[in-house]
Amino acid sequence: MNVVTPQVSEILSEIRASTGDFRTARTMPPEVYTSEEFFRFEWESVFAREWLCLGHVSQIPEIGDYFAINVGPEPLIVTRAEDGEVRVLSAICQHRGYPIVEAGETGNAKRLRCPYHFWSYELDGRLATAPEMTRTCPLAELKDETALPALKVELFGGFIFATMNPDQPPLGPTLDKLAPEMEAFDTVNLRAVKTVDYPNQPWNWKGMHENALEPYHTLFVHAGYHDVAPAQNATFLEWDDNDGQVMHPTAFRKMDAAFTPSGQPILPIIAGLDETRRSRVMFASIPPVVFFAFSPDQVFVFLVLPESAESMTLRVTWLFPESSIKEPTFEWALDVQNTINGVINEQDFVTNRRMQLGQRSRYAKRGRYSHLESTLPQFNSWLVKRYEAYLEQAGERSPV
């Protein structure tokens, strides 16, 4: 079976030079950000096989709660089923392929009903009703053969991960370096607030992770806004080939700092954090979807949701302890903080848009990495391992 086109094969043959030590690695070929052929390969080799973070358990606390999210061409529904378990289902009605919900939709329902012909499904995906179908076959027969496809689900630190690959190994054992942060911040018991979607952003999904993971640009793009955690204070972890995360901490200039106009937190420090975690921000990605920033007063979450080679949706969520949310000034404090967050986000949006434009140029070259970009060859290594595994399973000789 031929799973790669000549163009994709040529791109893959050049990618290994982007892995390894930052001193020797070269940046990725520009085509990995612009080629629709390569995006289709990535969809099958990465997104259709890996664990995808879709949200946090606090977003569906009650039985019947659900939210909708699109990852690439796959509309999904995350539900809290009657048995209390978290389910991740395809949102595609099994009658005529109509999406049951739209991305961003949330609610509580006893059943999930397709708005086209009113076929309805239980919260675990089983067919419940199908109007006017008994002249075709008994409803019992239809129920036996029809259900919303269910994805394999794993919860880690309160975050909901799902995979379309039924044979995908467990995620948790690959996250040994990140697990202590999740435990220290008690992410299982944090609550998600103020989720915001930024759809149709005109850049490649990998560029979003790269910009989030490397501190080099913060010296310049975010000058004055990121000074509480200067790039020179960043440190980098050794990369293990089995790592499921890419992460690095950046120390604050002083303990209990925050990305606010004053540089000081206006929300309570999370209880139980040690001095080390109160003195830094930890940035981490679990590719291909989620990026975290662990700060002393909150956990900040990006979901990177691809649409095409040059388009993606960014879903932003903030997590706080229940005690912080109950503070009388919480909404005011969150609005104040998000004023500066909005500025930083817009600086990154402009940067990502312009970077994507640059990747289309015939003069775009494969440059050298700074030591402050040590996370990027690690991210590339994570990708290359997935590309190779997919090719091996398909029985193709790897050009990587």
Side-chain angles (χ1 to χ4, degrees), residues 45-64:
S45 62
V46 178
F47 287 90
R49 292 162 57 91
E50 286 299 316
W51 289 102
L52 312 175
C53 184
L54 304 178
H56 190 265
V57 290
S58 65
Q59 294 171 277
I60 47 169
E62 305 296 334
I63 288 173

Side-chain angles (χ1 to χ4, degrees), residues 69-87:
I69 184 170
N70 288 1
V71 184
E74 296 295 344
L76 302 173
I77 310 174
V78 183
T79 74
R80 179 78 67 174
E82 291 288 346
D83 60 3
E85 294 296 314
V86 174
R87 300 288 205 286

Side-chain angles (χ1 to χ4, degrees), residues 41 57 289 300 352 374:
F41 169 77
V57 290
V289 169
F300 183 75
N352 287 328
S374 293

Side-chain angles (χ1 to χ4, degrees), residues 233-357:
N233 287 4
T235 55
F236 299 91
L237 283 63
E238 290 296 321
W239 173 256
D240 185 313
D241 191 50
N242 294 317
D243 278 342
Q245 73 276 289
V246 181
M247 56 192 291
H248 80 85
T250 298
F252 291 130
R253 292 187 184 276
K254 60 181 181 179
M255 193 167 70
D256 293 339
F259 296 100
T260 63
S262 67
Q264 299 176 342
I266 51 178
L267 291 158
I269 301 300
I270 294 174
L273 292 180
D274 58 24
E275 287 193 7
T276 297
R277 290 184 173 88
R278 290 172 59 183
S279 300
R280 73 186 186 195
V281 54
M282 177 65 80
F283 299 108
S285 282
I286 304 177
V289 169
V290 67
F291 169 81
F292 304 99
F294 296 86
S295 293
D297 58 345
Q298 64 189 275
V299 176
F300 183 75
V301 184
F302 277 171
L303 296 187
V304 180
L305 306 170
E307 297 162 350
S308 67
E310 299 192 277
S311 180
M312 57 157 282
T313 287
L314 178 66
R315 177 169 289 190
V316 181
T317 303
W318 293 261
L319 299 175
F320 295 93
E322 184 74 31
S323 58
S324 295
I325 296 170
K326 289 181 177 178
E327 288 281 324
T329 59
F330 175 76
E331 291 294 336
W332 170 84
L334 190 59
D335 286 344
V336 170
Q337 176 189 279
N338 286 340
T339 299
I340 195 167
N341 284 346
V343 173
I344 293 173
N345 281 342
E346 184 55 33
Q347 290 171 335
D348 282 330
F349 288 179
V350 170
T351 299
N352 287 328
R353 284 195 294 269
R354 295 182 68 181
M355 175 66 82
Q356 187 69 28
L357 289 171

Side-chain angles (χ1 to χ4, degrees), residues 19 42 49 129 151 158 182 200 245 247-248 257 323 355 369 386 395:
T19 65
E42 271 189 330
R49 292 162 57 91
T129 64
L151 280 64
M182 297 285 197
N200 310 128
Q245 73 276 289
M247 56 192 291
H248 80 85
S323 58
M355 175 66 82
Y369 288 114
R386 273 74 191 167

Side-chain angles (χ1 to χ4, degrees), residues 94-107:
Q94 299 299 286
H95 172 221
R96 294 267 299 281
Y98 194 91
I100 293 172
V101 289
E102 294 187 6
E105 183 179 330
T106 64

